[in-house]
């Protein structure tokens, strides 16, 4: 089989204890995303935004990969064909499970960015609006994360892979945020088979050829086992 493109969302890290966004009690039900996940919100109140991401960075650093992350890491290292693992998540659990070549289209909580000179560096555990950029000394440090209204990273590479893939798999994502939510359409257009793995089928039935339901830590290892057995 040819290339596989995988897109993961918050559901793949849910069993590692990291909150999702739109489930009951999810992050966007407790925070106003326009205040903490937009450039305008950051310009209005950088301290509020740093506090929000400092809490999420601590959660991410203190959590561990679950069986879904482990199984996907196995797939990226053991599958004989091409595998591109794209994630909407800003945690580093895929990498900590041993996955290689992970594409963080919404950025990474472990990285910092200078809003003035665009230098990037490894983020300290706690970031502060008064921190100076290590390169230009401007007090304009921000998490290296793609906010709403900002262009996701690596889009050319992702679209090229989707157009060449034989299989597209969306795991633990509600399919509400674009452009990630449109990846299934690009893949299907290009003739790929499409599979959704989620706790329950997302509201838009029919966008995927196949749906596997169950918690990612159970459904993903089972699916990876079948793929590696076929390879
Ligand atoms: C862009 C980083 C244009 C931040 C994120 C009006 C104004 C401005 C923009 C827009 C607008 N209307 C539409 C838009 C576009 C907007 C958008 O799509 N908005 C939506 C809300 C309508 N998109 C953007 O703004 C994007 N940029 O369009 O730029 C542009 C063009 C040219 C030039 C410049 C700019 C940027 C989007 C990226 C925003 N950043 N993340 C952070 O993380 O804090 S997105 C945010 O949602 C999250 O970070 C997450 O990555 C993403 C997707 O959420 P999911 O991962 O799917 O999580 P969710 O909770 O929704 O779902 C969880 C799923 O898991 C569920 O299905 C659940 O069933 C399942 N699940 C739960 N438990 C389990 C499980 N599955 C398995 N096992 C389990 N145990």
């Amino acid at each position: 089989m040819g290339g596989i493109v995988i897109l993961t969302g918050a559901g793949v890290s849910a069993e590692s204890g990291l909150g999702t966004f739109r489930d009951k009690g999810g992050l966007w039900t407790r925070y106003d995303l326009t205040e903490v996940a937009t450039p305008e919100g950051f310009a209005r109140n950088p301290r509020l935004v740093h506090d929000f991401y400092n809490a999420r960075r601590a959660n991410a650093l203190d959590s561990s990969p679950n069986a879904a992350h482990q199984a996907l890491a196995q797939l990226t290292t053991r599958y004989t064909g091409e595998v591109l693992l794209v994630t909407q998540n800003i945690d580093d659990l895929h990498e900590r499970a041993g996955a290689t070549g992970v594409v963080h289209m919404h950025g990474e909580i472990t990285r910092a960015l200078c809003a003035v000179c665009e230098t990037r560096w490894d983020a300290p555990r706690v970031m502060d609006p008064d921190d100076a950029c290590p390169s230009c000394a401007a007090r304009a440090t921000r998490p290296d994360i793609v906010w709403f209204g900002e262009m996701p990273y690596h889009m050319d590479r992702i679209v090229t892979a989707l157009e060449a893939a034989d299989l597209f798999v969306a795991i633990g994502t509600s399919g509400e945020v674009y452009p990630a939510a449109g990846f299934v359409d690009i893949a299907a257009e290009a003739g790929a088979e499409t599979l959704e793995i989620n706790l329950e089928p997302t509201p838009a039935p029919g966008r995927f050829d196949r749906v596997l339901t169950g918690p990612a830590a159970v459904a993903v290892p089972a699916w990876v086992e079948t793929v590696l057995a076929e390879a």
Side-chain angles (χ1 to χ4, degrees):
M1 182 197 315
I4 303 177
V5 175
I6 297 165
L7 172 71
T8 61
V12 84
S13 297
E15 287 151 280
S16 295
L18 296 188
T20 62
F21 294 89
R22 295 173 184 82
D23 291 322
K24 190 169 50 343
L27 275 163
W28 298 149
T29 65
R30 285 180 286 127
Y31 288 91
D32 174 352
L33 71 83
T34 59
E35 290 200 348
V36 292
T38 62
E40 297 77 15
F42 181 67
R44 251 194 321 271
N45 190 339
R47 182 164 299 287
L48 172 72
V49 174
H50 273 302
D51 287 350
F52 175 65
Y53 285 102
N54 286 336
R56 291 186 55 201
R57 187 174 303 104
N59 280 347
L61 296 176
D62 297 348
S63 67
S64 313
N66 63 56
H69 297 108
Q70 309 288 359
L72 291 173
Q74 288 285 318
L75 189 67
T76 61
T77 48
R78 286 177 44 199
Y79 182 62
T80 47
E82 283 288 303
V83 179
L84 185 67
L85 177 51
V86 182
T87 185
Q88 299 172 90
N89 301 337
I90 58 177
D91 62 59
D92 61 348
L93 293 177
H94 284 305
E95 289 86 346
R96 283 166 48 201
T100 52
V102 181
V103 176
H104 282 271
M105 66 178 291
H106 291 163
E108 300 172 75
I109 194 73
T110 55
R111 297 285 286 165
L113 166 67
C114 174
V116 168
C117 72
E118 301 208 336
T119 295
R120 286 176 167 82
W121 65 96
D122 287 339
R125 186 176 170 96
V126 179
M127 291 187 75
D128 188 290
D130 297 333
D131 291 347
C133 165
S135 166
C136 77
R139 279 168 170 59
T141 64
R142 58 172 277 184
D144 186 14
I145 282 171
V146 177
W147 284 325
F148 288 94
E150 295 186 321
M151 193 57 168
Y153 294 156
H154 311 295
M155 284 303 293
D156 293 347
R157 181 165 168 219
I158 296 168
V159 172
T160 303
L162 288 167
E163 288 171 343
D166 281 321
L167 175 63
F168 171 72
V169 192
I171 303 174
T173 178
S174 60
E176 294 197 19
V177 176
Y178 285 84
F183 289 174
V184 59
D185 305 316
I186 299 172
E189 242 342 84
E193 186 198 345
T194 57
L195 165 66
E196 178 178 65
I197 302 177
N198 201 303
L199 199 54
E200 63 248 343
T202 44
R207 293 183 71 183
F208 290 88
D209 300 321
R210 273 196 312 146
V211 178
L212 293 176
T213 52
V218 173
V220 174
W223 170 69
V224 167
E225 212 178 299
T226 63
V227 173
L228 290 178
E230 273 165 21

